[in-house]
Amino acid sequence: MFGICVLPSSLPTTSKDPGITNEIVCGLIESMQIKSVRVWMHLPYVLQRAPTSNTLSFKRDIVEDYHAYFSALASAGVENILVMNHQYLYPVEAGPITYNGVIPDPDSQTREYVAFLELFRDCYAMLAEEFPEVDLWEPNNEPDHPSGTTIVKNGFVQGGGSANTPYLYSLEEVARITADQCYYANLGIKSADPANKLVMPGLVFGYDRDTYFIEMLYEQIESGALPTRTGEGRNGALRADIDPDHYFDVLNWHPYANVAPGDAWLQENIAMYRIAAAHGDGDKPLFLSEFGWSDEFDTSLQENIADWYPEAFDLLRENLPTLESVFCFRMFNWTTAGSGVKPREKSFGLFTSPAEAGGILPKPAAIALFRYFNGKDADISVLYRYRAA
């Protein structure tokens, strides 16, 4: 049940402070008795496409760094390693791309779209073959977010603001593309090992449309028009696959509460689960691959969050029958973020950052979760092992 989102500083992604080593991450994971870890591994971090063909190869140095991290996690007692991606490689057919979350248009550029999906499948086949220590794969992140950053049209640019509006897909189009992504990634990971599991990309929560999107995702699967397989447009019934088991094995969403976890928040979780159950997926495991609170460096709010975490875990465990893992976002504060990053994004950590005064210290939420999972009398001194001398 107890999961965390965390990467050491040596691995790619900019959203972490320097000084976070494998030893520190895994030492705290072992002390906290965390059993599930979500790891960012975007496709361009570890794979590259040949300049003039769709031949793929690994960036071997970075791949070995990931292997070392996964080995360290296993040695620390981690049982579930969930690898997430939301950046892409593009086939030669796609031509120049303006942003790493672009998806070729399924209708007006079907040939390019299918080539994209086939390359996506090949990426996941290679990853699953290379990383047998991983059997949980999440092929996108919050595709239904209103900002539309992981499924957008070509022409979208980072920081483009309202100028990006023409390059956003409709929610129905996003659901169609998400289903196709899941189908093709699932083909890839299972070609390496049928026991691998495809985790539904974590859906957003709290925008008054989440249940609508998960319903729309199932509607796309059941439409008889997917998966997209040819260069001639959407598939006819003879080529359809309407079985959600061929799209994902694990349900997933991000139930950020923002305030105390009340009944409205609980009912939204229950509603999302019931929609999955109504479409025959009530027995599928459920992950919540991001969950937590930002304290914005407010000590009084930190104390509240320490109360809210156990309350939320109790509610989730009691009301979501197939819930297996909740991944707290995230282990450390991100204090070296640029001036354009809001304090909210910098202060989700259960622990302070090595860049902060005092070094790595448990925040009240870390202590509350430690006692929740290890007993109220558990010795919290192990949480201070990396404090500044």
Side-chain angles (χ1 to χ4, degrees), residues 7 11-13 39-42 45-46 61-71 83 131 133:
L7 280 177
L11 288 176
T13 76
V39 177
W40 277 235
M41 186 198 284
H42 300 317
Y45 289 172
V46 291
D61 290 349
I62 299 176
V63 165
E64 294 307 320
D65 287 342
Y66 273 102
H67 277 302
Y69 184 44
F70 295 151
S71 177
V83 167
F131 293 101
E133 61 268 53

PDB file of all heavy atoms in Angstrom, residues 7 11-13 39-42 45-46 61-71 83 131 133:
ATOM      1  N   LEU A   7      13.066  10.093  -7.484  1.00  0.00           N
ATOM      2  CA  LEU A   7      14.236   9.794  -8.311  1.00  0.00           C
ATOM      3  C   LEU A   7      15.467  10.379  -7.632  1.00  0.00           C
ATOM      4  O   LEU A   7      15.404  11.470  -7.058  1.00  0.00           O
ATOM      5  CB  LEU A   7      14.122  10.434  -9.693  1.00  0.00           C
ATOM      6  CG  LEU A   7      13.286   9.772 -10.773  1.00  0.00           C
ATOM      7  CD1 LEU A   7      13.273  10.655 -12.017  1.00  0.00           C
ATOM      8  CD2 LEU A   7      13.827   8.404 -11.119  1.00  0.00           C
ATOM      9  N   LEU A  11      19.639  10.688 -11.978  1.00  0.00           N
ATOM     10  CA  LEU A  11      18.798  10.303 -13.106  1.00  0.00           C
ATOM     11  C   LEU A  11      18.140  11.531 -13.725  1.00  0.00           C
ATOM     12  O   LEU A  11      18.004  12.559 -13.076  1.00  0.00           O
ATOM     13  CB  LEU A  11      17.740   9.297 -12.648  1.00  0.00           C
ATOM     14  CG  LEU A  11      18.290   7.899 -12.325  1.00  0.00           C
ATOM     15  CD1 LEU A  11      17.182   7.010 -11.793  1.00  0.00           C
ATOM     16  CD2 LEU A  11      18.935   7.264 -13.542  1.00  0.00           C
ATOM     17  N   PRO A  12      17.718  11.452 -14.988  1.00  0.00           N
ATOM     18  CA  PRO A  12      17.124  12.605 -15.664  1.00  0.00           C
ATOM     19  C   PRO A  12      15.837  13.076 -14.982  1.00  0.00           C
ATOM     20  O   PRO A  12      15.291  12.401 -14.116  1.00  0.00           O
ATOM     21  CB  PRO A  12      16.839  12.088 -17.073  1.00  0.00           C
ATOM     22  CG  PRO A  12      17.754  10.925 -17.256  1.00  0.00           C
ATOM     23  CD  PRO A  12      17.895  10.308 -15.904  1.00  0.00           C
ATOM     24  N   THR A  13      15.358  14.182 -15.430  1.00  0.00           N
ATOM     25  CA  THR A  13      14.268  15.046 -14.966  1.00  0.00           C
ATOM     26  C   THR A  13      14.863  16.138 -14.101  1.00  0.00           C
ATOM     27  O   THR A  13      15.758  15.895 -13.288  1.00  0.00           O
ATOM     28  CB  THR A  13      13.106  14.373 -14.184  1.00  0.00           C
ATOM     29  OG1 THR A  13      13.511  14.072 -12.884  1.00  0.00           O
ATOM     30  CG2 THR A  13      12.581  13.164 -14.904  1.00  0.00           C
ATOM     31  N   VAL A  39       8.692   5.706 -10.779  1.00  0.00           N
ATOM     32  CA  VAL A  39       9.930   6.236 -11.352  1.00  0.00           C
ATOM     33  C   VAL A  39       9.630   6.873 -12.704  1.00  0.00           C
ATOM     34  O   VAL A  39       9.002   6.249 -13.563  1.00  0.00           O
ATOM     35  CB  VAL A  39      10.972   5.109 -11.517  1.00  0.00           C
ATOM     36  CG1 VAL A  39      12.234   5.636 -12.181  1.00  0.00           C
ATOM     37  CG2 VAL A  39      11.302   4.483 -10.163  1.00  0.00           C
ATOM     38  N   TRP A  40      10.084   8.113 -12.895  1.00  0.00           N
ATOM     39  CA  TRP A  40       9.982   8.776 -14.185  1.00  0.00           C
ATOM     40  C   TRP A  40      11.057   8.195 -15.115  1.00  0.00           C
ATOM     41  O   TRP A  40      12.243   8.198 -14.800  1.00  0.00           O
ATOM     42  CB  TRP A  40      10.231  10.267 -14.044  1.00  0.00           C
ATOM     43  CG  TRP A  40       9.075  11.112 -13.625  1.00  0.00           C
ATOM     44  CD1 TRP A  40       8.595  12.201 -14.303  1.00  0.00           C
ATOM     45  CD2 TRP A  40       8.264  11.008 -12.442  1.00  0.00           C
ATOM     46  NE1 TRP A  40       7.532  12.761 -13.611  1.00  0.00           N
ATOM     47  CE2 TRP A  40       7.313  12.053 -12.474  1.00  0.00           C
ATOM     48  CE3 TRP A  40       8.251  10.125 -11.360  1.00  0.00           C
ATOM     49  CZ2 TRP A  40       6.358  12.225 -11.473  1.00  0.00           C
ATOM     50  CZ3 TRP A  40       7.301  10.303 -10.366  1.00  0.00           C
ATOM     51  CH2 TRP A  40       6.375  11.337 -10.430  1.00  0.00           C
ATOM     52  N   MET A  41      10.635   7.698 -16.287  1.00  0.00           N
ATOM     53  CA  MET A  41      11.584   7.241 -17.310  1.00  0.00           C
ATOM     54  C   MET A  41      10.985   7.595 -18.666  1.00  0.00           C
ATOM     55  O   MET A  41      10.379   6.760 -19.341  1.00  0.00           O
ATOM     56  CB  MET A  41      11.863   5.740 -17.220  1.00  0.00           C
ATOM     57  CG  MET A  41      12.957   5.271 -18.191  1.00  0.00           C
ATOM     58  SD  MET A  41      12.939   3.481 -18.481  1.00  0.00           S
ATOM     59  CE  MET A  41      13.680   2.882 -16.971  1.00  0.00           C
ATOM     60  N   HIS A  42      11.130   8.846 -19.079  1.00  0.00           N
ATOM     61  CA  HIS A  42      10.586   9.261 -20.362  1.00  0.00           C
ATOM     62  C   HIS A  42      11.373   8.602 -21.496  1.00  0.00           C
ATOM     63  O   HIS A  42      12.595   8.391 -21.384  1.00  0.00           O
ATOM     64  CB  HIS A  42      10.632  10.776 -20.493  1.00  0.00           C
ATOM     65  CG  HIS A  42       9.842  11.480 -19.431  1.00  0.00           C
ATOM     66  ND1 HIS A  42       8.585  11.055 -19.032  1.00  0.00           N
ATOM     67  CD2 HIS A  42      10.117  12.584 -18.671  1.00  0.00           C
ATOM     68  CE1 HIS A  42       8.128  11.856 -18.098  1.00  0.00           C
ATOM     69  NE2 HIS A  42       9.031  12.788 -17.852  1.00  0.00           N
ATOM     70  N   TYR A  45      14.744   9.779 -22.613  1.00  0.00           N
ATOM     71  CA  TYR A  45      15.838   9.660 -21.645  1.00  0.00           C
ATOM     72  C   TYR A  45      16.724   8.456 -21.957  1.00  0.00           C
ATOM     73  O   TYR A  45      17.938   8.516 -21.787  1.00  0.00           O
ATOM     74  CB  TYR A  45      15.297   9.488 -20.229  1.00  0.00           C
ATOM     75  CG  TYR A  45      14.644  10.682 -19.608  1.00  0.00           C
ATOM     76  CD1 TYR A  45      13.987  10.569 -18.389  1.00  0.00           C
ATOM     77  CD2 TYR A  45      14.650  11.928 -20.228  1.00  0.00           C
ATOM     78  CE1 TYR A  45      13.369  11.669 -17.801  1.00  0.00           C
ATOM     79  CE2 TYR A  45      14.030  13.021 -19.648  1.00  0.00           C
ATOM     80  CZ  TYR A  45      13.401  12.884 -18.438  1.00  0.00           C
ATOM     81  OH  TYR A  45      12.790  13.962 -17.848  1.00  0.00           O
ATOM     82  N   VAL A  46      16.093   7.356 -22.385  1.00  0.00           N
ATOM     83  CA  VAL A  46      16.823   6.094 -22.478  1.00  0.00           C
ATOM     84  C   VAL A  46      16.883   5.527 -23.888  1.00  0.00           C
ATOM     85  O   VAL A  46      17.625   4.577 -24.143  1.00  0.00           O
ATOM     86  CB  VAL A  46      16.210   5.043 -21.532  1.00  0.00           C
ATOM     87  CG1 VAL A  46      16.459   5.429 -20.079  1.00  0.00           C
ATOM     88  CG2 VAL A  46      14.728   4.852 -21.793  1.00  0.00           C
ATOM     89  N   ASP A  61      24.564   4.534 -21.166  1.00  0.00           N
ATOM     90  CA  ASP A  61      25.010   5.038 -19.866  1.00  0.00           C
ATOM     91  C   ASP A  61      23.824   5.318 -18.952  1.00  0.00           C
ATOM     92  O   ASP A  61      23.842   4.979 -17.758  1.00  0.00           O
ATOM     93  CB  ASP A  61      25.851   6.309 -20.036  1.00  0.00           C
ATOM     94  CG  ASP A  61      27.216   6.038 -20.662  1.00  0.00           C
ATOM     95  OD1 ASP A  61      27.585   4.854 -20.767  1.00  0.00           O
ATOM     96  OD2 ASP A  61      27.890   7.014 -21.044  1.00  0.00           O
ATOM     97  N   ILE A  62      22.783   5.950 -19.511  1.00  0.00           N
ATOM     98  CA  ILE A  62      21.619   6.281 -18.693  1.00  0.00           C
ATOM     99  C   ILE A  62      20.854   5.018 -18.327  1.00  0.00           C
ATOM    100  O   ILE A  62      20.344   4.874 -17.210  1.00  0.00           O
ATOM    101  CB  ILE A  62      20.722   7.287 -19.422  1.00  0.00           C
ATOM    102  CG1 ILE A  62      21.505   8.580 -19.687  1.00  0.00           C
ATOM    103  CG2 ILE A  62      19.463   7.594 -18.628  1.00  0.00           C
ATOM    104  CD1 ILE A  62      20.767   9.618 -20.492  1.00  0.00           C
ATOM    105  N   VAL A  63      20.765   4.074 -19.267  1.00  0.00           N
ATOM    106  CA  VAL A  63      20.123   2.794 -18.981  1.00  0.00           C
ATOM    107  C   VAL A  63      20.787   2.113 -17.791  1.00  0.00           C
ATOM    108  O   VAL A  63      20.110   1.598 -16.888  1.00  0.00           O
ATOM    109  CB  VAL A  63      20.161   1.888 -20.231  1.00  0.00           C
ATOM    110  CG1 VAL A  63      19.832   0.440 -19.868  1.00  0.00           C
ATOM    111  CG2 VAL A  63      19.166   2.389 -21.278  1.00  0.00           C
ATOM    112  N   GLU A  64      22.117   2.126 -17.758  1.00  0.00           N
ATOM    113  CA  GLU A  64      22.824   1.478 -16.648  1.00  0.00           C
ATOM    114  C   GLU A  64      22.566   2.195 -15.330  1.00  0.00           C
ATOM    115  O   GLU A  64      22.501   1.562 -14.266  1.00  0.00           O
ATOM    116  CB  GLU A  64      24.325   1.399 -16.943  1.00  0.00           C
ATOM    117  CG  GLU A  64      24.667   0.483 -18.118  1.00  0.00           C
ATOM    118  CD  GLU A  64      24.067  -0.911 -17.984  1.00  0.00           C
ATOM    119  OE1 GLU A  64      24.052  -1.467 -16.858  1.00  0.00           O
ATOM    120  OE2 GLU A  64      23.578  -1.450 -19.003  1.00  0.00           O
ATOM    121  N   ASP A  65      22.390   3.515 -15.377  1.00  0.00           N
ATOM    122  CA  ASP A  65      22.055   4.259 -14.157  1.00  0.00           C
ATOM    123  C   ASP A  65      20.679   3.827 -13.632  1.00  0.00           C
ATOM    124  O   ASP A  65      20.486   3.696 -12.411  1.00  0.00           O
ATOM    125  CB  ASP A  65      22.060   5.761 -14.426  1.00  0.00           C
ATOM    126  CG  ASP A  65      23.459   6.331 -14.607  1.00  0.00           C
ATOM    127  OD1 ASP A  65      24.430   5.661 -14.189  1.00  0.00           O
ATOM    128  OD2 ASP A  65      23.572   7.445 -15.163  1.00  0.00           O
ATOM    129  N   TYR A  66      19.740   3.611 -14.537  1.00  0.00           N
ATOM    130  CA  TYR A  66      18.429   3.126 -14.105  1.00  0.00           C
ATOM    131  C   TYR A  66      18.523   1.718 -13.535  1.00  0.00           C
ATOM    132  O   TYR A  66      17.889   1.408 -12.512  1.00  0.00           O
ATOM    133  CB  TYR A  66      17.433   3.163 -15.262  1.00  0.00           C
ATOM    134  CG  TYR A  66      16.721   4.481 -15.426  1.00  0.00           C
ATOM    135  CD1 TYR A  66      17.098   5.388 -16.422  1.00  0.00           C
ATOM    136  CD2 TYR A  66      15.662   4.838 -14.597  1.00  0.00           C
ATOM    137  CE1 TYR A  66      16.445   6.598 -16.582  1.00  0.00           C
ATOM    138  CE2 TYR A  66      14.997   6.046 -14.754  1.00  0.00           C
ATOM    139  CZ  TYR A  66      15.392   6.928 -15.745  1.00  0.00           C
ATOM    140  OH  TYR A  66      14.739   8.133 -15.892  1.00  0.00           O
ATOM    141  N   HIS A  67      19.302   0.859 -14.170  1.00  0.00           N
ATOM    142  CA  HIS A  67      19.487  -0.493 -13.624  1.00  0.00           C
ATOM    143  C   HIS A  67      20.037  -0.428 -12.201  1.00  0.00           C
ATOM    144  O   HIS A  67      19.581  -1.171 -11.314  1.00  0.00           O
ATOM    145  CB  HIS A  67      20.451  -1.294 -14.506  1.00  0.00           C
ATOM    146  CG  HIS A  67      19.817  -1.927 -15.705  1.00  0.00           C
ATOM    147  ND1 HIS A  67      18.768  -2.811 -15.634  1.00  0.00           N
ATOM    148  CD2 HIS A  67      20.114  -1.814 -17.034  1.00  0.00           C
ATOM    149  CE1 HIS A  67      18.430  -3.214 -16.853  1.00  0.00           C
ATOM    150  NE2 HIS A  67      19.228  -2.626 -17.720  1.00  0.00           N
ATOM    151  N   ALA A  68      21.013   0.437 -11.982  1.00  0.00           N
ATOM    152  CA  ALA A  68      21.611   0.555 -10.645  1.00  0.00           C
ATOM    153  C   ALA A  68      20.565   1.018  -9.631  1.00  0.00           C
ATOM    154  O   ALA A  68      20.527   0.526  -8.484  1.00  0.00           O
ATOM    155  CB  ALA A  68      22.790   1.522 -10.686  1.00  0.00           C
ATOM    156  N   TYR A  69      19.710   1.957 -10.042  1.00  0.00           N
ATOM    157  CA  TYR A  69      18.667   2.445  -9.140  1.00  0.00           C
ATOM    158  C   TYR A  69      17.657   1.342  -8.830  1.00  0.00           C
ATOM    159  O   TYR A  69      17.294   1.129  -7.664  1.00  0.00           O
ATOM    160  CB  TYR A  69      17.970   3.648  -9.778  1.00  0.00           C
ATOM    161  CG  TYR A  69      16.928   4.310  -8.909  1.00  0.00           C
ATOM    162  CD1 TYR A  69      17.154   4.559  -7.556  1.00  0.00           C
ATOM    163  CD2 TYR A  69      15.699   4.688  -9.449  1.00  0.00           C
ATOM    164  CE1 TYR A  69      16.190   5.180  -6.767  1.00  0.00           C
ATOM    165  CE2 TYR A  69      14.734   5.315  -8.667  1.00  0.00           C
ATOM    166  CZ  TYR A  69      14.983   5.553  -7.329  1.00  0.00           C
ATOM    167  OH  TYR A  69      14.028   6.166  -6.551  1.00  0.00           O
ATOM    168  N   PHE A  70      17.218   0.625  -9.846  1.00  0.00           N
ATOM    169  CA  PHE A  70      16.247  -0.441  -9.623  1.00  0.00           C
ATOM    170  C   PHE A  70      16.817  -1.528  -8.713  1.00  0.00           C
ATOM    171  O   PHE A  70      16.117  -2.076  -7.863  1.00  0.00           O
ATOM    172  CB  PHE A  70      15.805  -1.040 -10.954  1.00  0.00           C
ATOM    173  CG  PHE A  70      15.051  -0.089 -11.844  1.00  0.00           C
ATOM    174  CD1 PHE A  70      15.095  -0.226 -13.225  1.00  0.00           C
ATOM    175  CD2 PHE A  70      14.299   0.947 -11.310  1.00  0.00           C
ATOM    176  CE1 PHE A  70      14.401   0.643 -14.044  1.00  0.00           C
ATOM    177  CE2 PHE A  70      13.596   1.831 -12.124  1.00  0.00           C
ATOM    178  CZ  PHE A  70      13.645   1.672 -13.501  1.00  0.00           C
ATOM    179  N   SER A  71      18.102  -1.835  -8.897  1.00  0.00           N
ATOM    180  CA  SER A  71      18.741  -2.830  -8.041  1.00  0.00           C
ATOM    181  C   SER A  71      18.779  -2.356  -6.590  1.00  0.00           C
ATOM    182  O   SER A  71      18.516  -3.124  -5.654  1.00  0.00           O
ATOM    183  CB  SER A  71      20.158  -3.113  -8.545  1.00  0.00           C
ATOM    184  OG  SER A  71      20.833  -4.016  -7.689  1.00  0.00           O
ATOM    185  N   VAL A  83       7.079   2.280 -13.647  1.00  0.00           N
ATOM    186  CA  VAL A  83       7.800   3.200 -14.530  1.00  0.00           C
ATOM    187  C   VAL A  83       6.801   3.984 -15.365  1.00  0.00           C
ATOM    188  O   VAL A  83       5.937   3.406 -16.025  1.00  0.00           O
ATOM    189  CB  VAL A  83       8.786   2.430 -15.419  1.00  0.00           C
ATOM    190  CG1 VAL A  83       9.297   3.314 -16.553  1.00  0.00           C
ATOM    191  CG2 VAL A  83       9.962   1.919 -14.586  1.00  0.00           C
ATOM    192  N   PHE A 131      14.517  -4.223 -19.150  1.00  0.00           N
ATOM    193  CA  PHE A 131      14.316  -4.053 -17.710  1.00  0.00           C
ATOM    194  C   PHE A 131      13.366  -5.130 -17.164  1.00  0.00           C
ATOM    195  O   PHE A 131      12.231  -4.825 -16.787  1.00  0.00           O
ATOM    196  CB  PHE A 131      13.754  -2.668 -17.412  1.00  0.00           C
ATOM    197  CG  PHE A 131      14.692  -1.533 -17.698  1.00  0.00           C
ATOM    198  CD1 PHE A 131      14.568  -0.790 -18.857  1.00  0.00           C
ATOM    199  CD2 PHE A 131      15.709  -1.207 -16.806  1.00  0.00           C
ATOM    200  CE1 PHE A 131      15.436   0.260 -19.131  1.00  0.00           C
ATOM    201  CE2 PHE A 131      16.582  -0.158 -17.057  1.00  0.00           C
ATOM    202  CZ  PHE A 131      16.453   0.571 -18.226  1.00  0.00           C
ATOM    203  N   GLU A 133      13.426  -6.321 -14.381  1.00  0.00           N
ATOM    204  CA  GLU A 133      13.160  -6.027 -12.975  1.00  0.00           C
ATOM    205  C   GLU A 133      11.922  -5.150 -12.785  1.00  0.00           C
ATOM    206  O   GLU A 133      11.466  -4.939 -11.653  1.00  0.00           O
ATOM    207  CB  GLU A 133      14.385  -5.359 -12.322  1.00  0.00           C
ATOM    208  CG  GLU A 133      14.819  -4.038 -12.919  1.00  0.00           C
ATOM    209  CD  GLU A 133      15.879  -4.163 -14.018  1.00  0.00           C
ATOM    210  OE1 GLU A 133      15.634  -4.935 -14.964  1.00  0.00           O
ATOM    211  OE2 GLU A 133      16.917  -3.491 -13.929  1.00  0.00           O
TER     212      GLU A 133
END
